[in-house]
Amino acid sequence: MAIGLIIIGDEILSGKRTDQHFPKVVQMLKQRGLQLSWAEYVGDEPARLVALLKRSFASGDIVFSFGGIGATPDDHTRQAAADALGLPLVLHPQGKVNIQQRITEMGAEAGVPADLNSPENLHRLKMAEFVDGAELIPNPYNKIAGFAVREHYFVPGFPVMSWPMIEWVLDTHYPHLFNQVPHAEHALLVYETAESLLTPLMVRLEAEFPLIKVFSLPSVGDAQTRRHIELGVKGEPAQATAAFAQMCAALDTLQAEYTTI
């Protein structure tokens, strides 16, 4: 089953904020023997977001979505998810209770009794309006939950909230997927060699070892490092080991200079 990532927000696309979610999700998955298959960035544009979610729901993938589930005018994710599924938004009973508990706690901290029926606090309940049938994702930071529907998991854009929420989803719903696909990776640096010279070797290895992928990452070098290519194999451990041995032997035949990493 593939795992996808959606990161939402004009502030990301405009450069006002730098996305931190992509590398963190990759790290969380790697720690559990899982791998990200795809990622998409999208702004706060309802029509585009609905179209993306329609494709995403139809894929059958596990999808983590960051951002846009607040209650301000630029938060469209909850409505977009509902529109993509053709379902209504409904006020989630426990989500409502969680928000009211948070409001009450904030009032107590400020020494002011909380008025749960004030316009401001009633508006906050919009953050508990989720797609009909959605389940809650607990938020350990402030109790204001995210929501899950059809293996899509919608969390806030704030890392302090969203990252523990995603870890909870993984550890609660998908431990049976952890470390199920054996994986190994071997790489080396090839110096001052044209990538075109190495391409036939890469094609041959992938043809002979169907359970591996060969990767090539060229670098023009810098003041500390000469021009080089990071060349390697990854995939099923036994095939990766055998393919890497053949790669090294082929480089020796080419009299290419390289070091393993």
Side-chain angles (χ1 to χ4, degrees):
M1 182 176 288
I3 300 176
L5 175 63
I6 298 174
I7 298 168
I8 301 166
D10 287 347
E11 68 278 5
I12 300 294
L13 298 182
S14 69
K16 288 184 178 180
R17 288 190 178 178
T18 300
D19 170 49
Q20 302 176 60
H21 300 306
F22 179 89
K24 182 62 177 181
V25 169
V26 169
Q27 178 191 48
M28 287 192 288
L29 294 175
K30 186 175 182 180
Q31 289 170 344
R32 294 162 173 81
L34 301 172
Q35 187 170 355
L36 190 67
S37 296
W38 57 267
E40 294 201 33
Y41 291 81
V42 63
D44 299 310
E45 184 179 340
R48 193 177 297 275
L49 184 52
V50 170
L52 170 55
L53 288 173
K54 282 183 177 180
R55 286 191 287 110
S56 178
F57 281 122
S59 71
D61 294 343
I62 299 168
V63 178
F64 300 113
S65 174
F66 290 82
I69 64 170
T72 57
D74 61 345
D75 288 317
H76 303 295
T77 304
R78 290 175 292 108
Q79 186 64 60
D83 291 345
L85 292 170
L87 294 171
L89 286 178
V90 297
L91 182 62
H92 192 287
Q94 186 58 50
K96 175 183 177 180
V97 170
N98 291 349
I99 291 174
Q100 290 178 330
Q101 287 179 344
R102 177 59 179 163
I103 293 169
T104 301
E105 290 173 357
M106 291 171 62
E109 291 169 3
V112 179
D115 179 4
L116 296 179
N117 293 313
S118 71
E120 176 186 2
N121 287 331
L122 290 174
H123 182 74
R124 284 175 170 161
L125 295 182
K126 285 189 171 294
M127 291 187 289
E129 291 180 356
F130 303 134
V131 179
D132 192 15
E135 298 179 357
L136 298 185
I137 302 173
N139 181 342
Y141 184 81
N142 64 5
K143 297 184 179 179
I144 300 178
F147 69 101
V149 59
R150 299 192 188 181
E151 295 196 279
H152 280 53
Y153 302 91
F154 297 89
V155 296
F158 300 103
V160 69
M161 303 178 191
S162 59
W163 294 354
M165 295 168 78
I166 294 300
E167 289 196 300
W168 179 89
V169 169
L170 288 168
D171 295 339
T172 301
H173 294 292
Y174 298 107
H176 60 287
L177 299 181
F178 295 176
N179 302 302
Q180 291 300 300
V181 180
H183 180 86
E185 182 171 318
H186 308 283
L188 47 78
L189 300 183
V190 187
Y191 298 99
E192 306 293 347
T193 301
E195 194 171 25
S196 58
L197 184 64
L198 303 175
T199 300
L201 169 62
M202 298 168 66
V203 172
R204 187 171 73 249
L205 289 174
E206 287 200 344
E208 184 173 348
F209 300 97
L211 300 182
I212 62 101
K213 289 183 178 181
V214 180
F215 59 89
S216 173
L217 302 171
S219 172
V220 297
D222 52 34
Q224 287 76 41
T225 308
R226 288 182 290 154
R227 182 172 66 92
H228 65 272
I229 297 170
E230 181 180 341
L231 186 67
V233 296
K234 58 185 178 181
E236 193 279 325
Q239 289 200 10
T241 299
F244 188 68
Q246 286 199 23
M247 176 180 286
C248 293
L251 292 174
D252 290 337
T253 300
L254 292 171
Q255 296 186 325
E257 181 186 358
Y258 65 90
T259 57
T260 57
I261 56 175

